[in-house]
Amino acid sequence: MGEDGGGRTPVVATGRTATAGPRQTWAGLPWLVRTAVTWSACLVVVVIGLWLLGKVAVLLAPLAIALAGTLFLTALLDPVLLLLRRLRVPAAPAALLTILLLLGVLVGLGVLVWNLTASQFGELSQQLDQGLARSRDFVTSTLPVSDAQLDRLVQQTRDGLSGSAPDPVGGARTAAEVAGSVLLALVLLFFLLKDGRSMWRWVLGRTTGPNRTVAAEAGRVGWRTLGSYSRGTMLIAAIDAIGIGLALVLLGVPLALPLALITFLGGFVPIIGATVAGAVAVLVALAANGPTTALLTLGAVIAVQQIEGNLLEPLIMKRQVQLHPAVILVVVTAGTLIAGIAGAFVSVPIAAVTWRVIDTVQRHREDPAPTV
């Protein structure tokens, strides 16, 4: 009996040792190693999740862009819809009138720009040729580059551009996808304007208890953020376009209205859009009127953008959609790589709304409402 008992005791001890061994080994590791392993595992999971999400977004890029654009336009046009609803206009006619107003503004603006600037394109072509000739003389006179070397470089650039010309079949497919996305966005825009609030109430009806409170608050904050971003960005872009457009008119730069329109569109892509639009304006001024006007245009662009960035944007945007410039650059770059220009337009509002929703949910978890 004692021998059997003695035989059983090591078995039990061995089992405990086998069970507690990995825990003791993990606990015996230095704190820094345990922390590094834990964070590395979490990082791997996050990277894999983001990679899968990116693959899905690429496969469904037209649909994703249409949905993002629809939400952006819905938040932008929501005050117009509410005004029509206060005037006792039914939901469906109010949504239709709001969309027709949007299309009318876009078409009218395009026709106005074309009528005012169509005659200037031929003149601009000649001025660009003169500007290129002056630039060529400047390069060959100040740099150790001969005319033959410059001609060879220009020819290589032309060959590279012609070799990378888009495939007609691929271009037709892209055009069809863009047309389909625009049509889908318009249809979705009508339904969201007409039934968006009832859809949201239906979603809230599927949640119960504290989750409903959190979902309602997160949705409210996210929608407010998207509305603030869309209307604030449009206002800031319009101010940039007016300021730079007036400077171009005063400096006698041709095609001031199209350049102002490019500045307005570039305002919807933070940091990068304004830089590209300003560069286009400076290049046109250089080609048309020479380096002095180009420098004055550069100064005007920098002044307008500094006033907008340091004074108007904090005043208009408040703290609703503040993101660090580094985050904006990463988000815009990622959106451009995934979906091109359309991705650059929608990436920042998506990131801003996502951050505000996550922050709201986290604050509710840290400080839950007291239960009665």
Side-chain angles (χ1 to χ4, degrees):
M1 295 292 294
E3 184 177 355
D4 292 340
R8 286 195 299 269
T9 302
V11 174
V12 175
T14 303
R16 290 179 179 175
T17 303
T19 302
R23 298 178 182 176
Q24 292 177 351
T25 303
W26 174 255
L29 292 175
W31 172 84
L32 184 61
V33 174
R34 296 200 307 270
T35 303
V37 170
T38 303
W39 280 103
S40 298
C42 294
L43 181 61
V44 169
V45 173
V46 171
V47 169
I48 293 175
L50 292 177
W51 180 80
L52 292 175
L53 185 62
K55 296 291 288 185
V56 173
V58 170
L59 293 175
L60 303 178
L63 176 60
I65 293 173
L67 289 175
T70 301
L71 291 174
F72 183 87
L73 291 175
T74 304
L76 179 64
L77 299 174
D78 192 52
V80 179
L81 178 73
L82 292 177
L83 177 61
L84 293 175
R85 295 291 289 153
R86 292 192 190 101
L87 296 176
R88 306 284 184 176
V89 180
L96 184 59
L97 286 174
T98 303
I99 295 176
L100 291 178
L101 176 63
L102 172 66
L103 294 178
V105 170
L106 294 178
V107 173
L109 184 60
V111 172
L112 176 64
V113 171
W114 176 259
N115 289 336
L116 293 178
T117 61
S119 60
Q120 299 181 13
F121 283 102
E123 179 185 357
L124 180 63
S125 177
Q126 297 177 358
Q127 292 171 343
L128 284 174
D129 292 338
Q130 296 175 2
L132 290 175
R134 288 198 299 266
S135 301
R136 179 189 181 91
D137 295 338
F138 174 78
V139 170
T140 55
S141 61
T142 58
L143 298 177
V145 179
S146 63
D147 290 336
Q149 292 174 338
L150 189 59
D151 291 337
R152 192 180 308 112
L153 179 61
V154 171
Q155 186 61 39
Q156 291 176 354
T157 303
R158 289 177 178 176
D159 293 340
L161 292 176
S162 61
S164 60
D167 182 18
V169 177
R173 183 172 60 251
T174 302
E177 291 179 354
V178 171
S181 298
V182 171
L183 181 60
L184 177 62
L186 289 176
V187 174
L188 291 175
L189 178 61
F190 172 78
F191 285 114
L192 284 181
L193 289 173
K194 175 178 174 290
D195 301 321
R197 284 175 171 80
S198 60
M199 292 178 182
W200 178 241
R201 286 193 294 269
W202 181 87
V203 172
L204 289 180
R206 309 279 76 81
T207 60
T208 58
N211 292 332
R212 179 165 185 163
T213 304
V214 176
E217 179 65 18
R220 198 160 40 242
V221 170
W223 186 249
R224 192 184 305 124
T225 299
L226 183 59
S228 299
Y229 177 86
S230 57
R231 291 185 289 272
T233 301
M234 187 182 68
L235 181 58
I236 292 172
I239 294 173
D240 279 351
I242 293 172
I244 294 177
L246 288 176
L248 294 177
V249 170
L250 294 176
L251 293 174
V253 178
L255 297 175
L257 188 57
L259 292 174
L261 181 59
I262 293 174
T263 303
F264 175 76
L265 296 177
F268 288 90
V269 183
I271 300 177
I272 297 178
T275 303
V276 173
V280 172
V282 172
L283 288 176
V284 172
L286 175 63
N289 298 344
T292 302
T293 304
L295 290 176
L296 293 176
T297 302
L298 178 61
V301 169
I302 294 176
V304 171
Q305 291 181 355
Q306 287 299 313
I307 293 174
E308 171 260 311
N310 297 321
L311 178 62
L312 296 178
E313 185 171 358
L315 184 63
I316 294 173
M317 291 291 194
K318 309 285 184 188
R319 300 185 61 86
Q320 289 289 332
V321 291
Q322 279 193 351
L323 292 175
H324 194 277
V327 177
I328 293 177
L329 285 174
V330 172
V331 168
V332 171
T333 303
T336 305
L337 293 176
I338 292 174
I341 297 177
F345 273 92
V346 303
S347 57
V348 175
I350 290 175
V353 171
T354 302
W355 163 247
R356 291 288 292 170
V357 169
I358 293 175
D359 181 63
T360 301
V361 174
Q362 185 65 29
R363 284 190 291 104
H364 271 273
R365 289 183 175 179
E366 293 177 354
D367 187 18
T371 57
V372 180

